[in-house]
């Protein structure tokens, strides 16, 4: 598989998952993760989220601080490392606004100053892609019987 195919795999499967864990570092150095809805992954690989400016993750992302986006979805796992910035893009907020975001943000509207975008610019990704549970089990059993290492899927690290 080419690097381009690997990049496409990690980005497409991450976007398809729809929800991820966003990890930041708090001011005291604690690592904090929280679930986030992925709004979009653009052609330049940037990953967009919508949040409230008053949340700790925004303060933990100011100035291009390191973040991690983690996905676990039916035989696919990814850890995407990059930096985050906070953006206020009214048109993009309107484009991302939906019944789901409306339900999450309550009585807020996309025009509200408290609603901001978080853009993650990924640098690297490590991912594991399994063909599914039956194939994984077959590979593990094969490894046990033959004393050869099991190959239950693909694992790669890619530059984004």
């Amino acid at each position: 598989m080419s690097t381009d195919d690997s990049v496409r795999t990690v980005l497409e499967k991450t976007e398809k998952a729809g929800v991820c864990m966003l990890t930041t570092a708090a001011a005291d150095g604690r690592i904090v993760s929280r679930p986030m809805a992925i709004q979009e992954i653009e052609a330049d690989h940037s990953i967009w989220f919508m949040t409230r400016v008053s949340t700790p993750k925004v303060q933990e992302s100011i100035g291009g601080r390191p973040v991690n986006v983690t996905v676990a979805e039916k035989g696919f796992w990814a850890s995407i490392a990059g930096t985050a910035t906070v953006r206020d893009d009214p048109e993009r907020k309107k484009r991302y606004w939906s019944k789901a975001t409306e339900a999450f943000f309550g009585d807020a509207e996309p025009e509200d100053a408290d609603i901001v975008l978080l853009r993650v610019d990924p640098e690297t990704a490590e991912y594991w892609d399994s063909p599914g549970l039956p194939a994984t089990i077959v590979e593990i059993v094969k490894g046990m019987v033959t004393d050869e290492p099991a190959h239950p899927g693909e694992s790669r690290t890619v530059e984004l």
Side-chain angles (χ1 to χ4, degrees):
M1 176 180 283
S2 74
T3 300
D4 287 346
D5 290 341
S6 295
V7 169
R8 188 173 20 262
T9 294
V10 73
L11 295 175
E12 285 177 358
K13 290 193 174 203
T14 296
E15 189 166 37
K16 184 179 176 186
V19 176
C20 66
M21 295 297 285
L22 176 68
T23 303
T24 59
D28 64 3
R30 287 178 307 111
I31 301 298
V32 184
S33 297
R34 75 276 288 161
M36 296 287 291
I38 298 168
Q39 298 300 318
E40 176 181 25
I41 299 180
E42 290 191 307
D44 68 357
H45 308 160
S46 58
I47 305 170
W48 290 86
F49 302 97
M50 191 177 298
T51 189
R52 290 186 183 277
V53 73
S54 55
T55 62
K57 69 183 144 295
V58 169
Q59 290 304 311
E60 296 161 5
S61 301
I62 290 175
R65 292 187 185 160
V67 298
N68 190 273
V69 174
T70 306
V71 176
E73 179 76 13
K74 298 179 185 164
F76 176 76
W77 301 268
S79 175
I80 303 169
T83 56
T85 53
V86 179
R87 302 285 178 93
D88 185 27
D89 180 337
E91 292 306 312
R92 190 180 292 268
K93 289 192 300 186
K94 286 178 190 174
R95 192 171 80 229
Y96 293 160
W97 202 258
S98 68
K99 290 290 185 189
T101 53
E102 189 174 305
F104 182 79
F105 290 113
D107 60 357
E109 296 180 352
E111 296 83 5
D112 289 352
D114 190 42
I115 306 298
V116 294
L117 299 167
L118 193 62
R119 175 186 164 136
V120 172
D121 292 304
E123 296 164 2
T124 62
E126 187 166 352
Y127 74 93
W128 303 266
D129 195 8
S130 168
L133 186 58
T136 299
I137 291 171
V138 167
E139 277 295 316
I140 291 170
V141 169
K142 188 168 101 177
M144 291 167 51
V145 172
T146 65
D147 289 329
E148 295 289 323
H151 298 284
E154 175 183 36
S155 175
R156 290 190 176 248
T157 299
V158 293
E159 297 290 323
L160 298 169

